[in-house]
Amino acid sequence: MLNIIKDALRVSGDDLDVEIQDLIDSAKADLVLSGVHKAKVKDDDPLIKRAVILYSKANFGYDDPKIADRFMAAYNSLKHHLTLSSEYTVGGD
């Protein structure tokens, strides 16, 4: 997941890996805290991947806060949809 998020953030090199991994971990924890079942927070799930990308872009440090706000609004909307879906809130497959 780290390389996917680095690509989405247009980051090369390893200098920011710790910060980016913290964003990934925070996004996943926020999804679980919001009601997404922990077993459903998988790196290969396209909606989870998109949520982590949006969260990371919202919190990575854009100079224009309006851009970050748009990414956070998109993240919150996707998170809301995930928490309303029994496919993501019930454990098991």
Side-chain angles (χ1 to χ4, degrees):
M1 178 73 83
L2 179 62
N3 287 328
I4 292 167
I5 302 305
K6 285 173 68 172
D7 287 345
L9 296 172
R10 312 295 191 261
V11 172
S12 60
D14 300 332
D15 293 347
L16 300 173
D17 282 4
V18 172
E19 180 180 353
I20 294 169
Q21 187 61 54
D22 284 345
L23 289 171
I24 294 167
D25 296 341
S26 296
K28 290 178 178 181
D30 186 61
L31 290 170
V32 171
L33 184 64
S34 298
V36 176
H37 195 281
K38 187 175 184 173
K40 301 295 184 172
V41 180
K42 299 179 182 178
D43 290 353
D44 62 346
D45 183 290
L47 292 177
I48 298 300
K49 188 185 322 181
R50 176 57 44 199
V52 174
I53 288 170
L54 291 169
Y55 181 93
S56 298
K57 285 187 168 198
N59 290 287
F60 193 63
Y62 284 95
D63 291 334
D64 184 350
K66 291 180 183 178
I67 295 172
D69 289 346
R70 287 196 332 227
F71 282 123
M72 187 53 77
Y75 168 74
N76 284 327
S77 177
L78 178 53
K79 177 175 69 170
H80 180 73
H81 289 290
L82 292 170
T83 60
L84 291 176
S85 170
S86 61
E87 185 176 336
Y88 286 91
T89 57
V90 178
D93 289 321

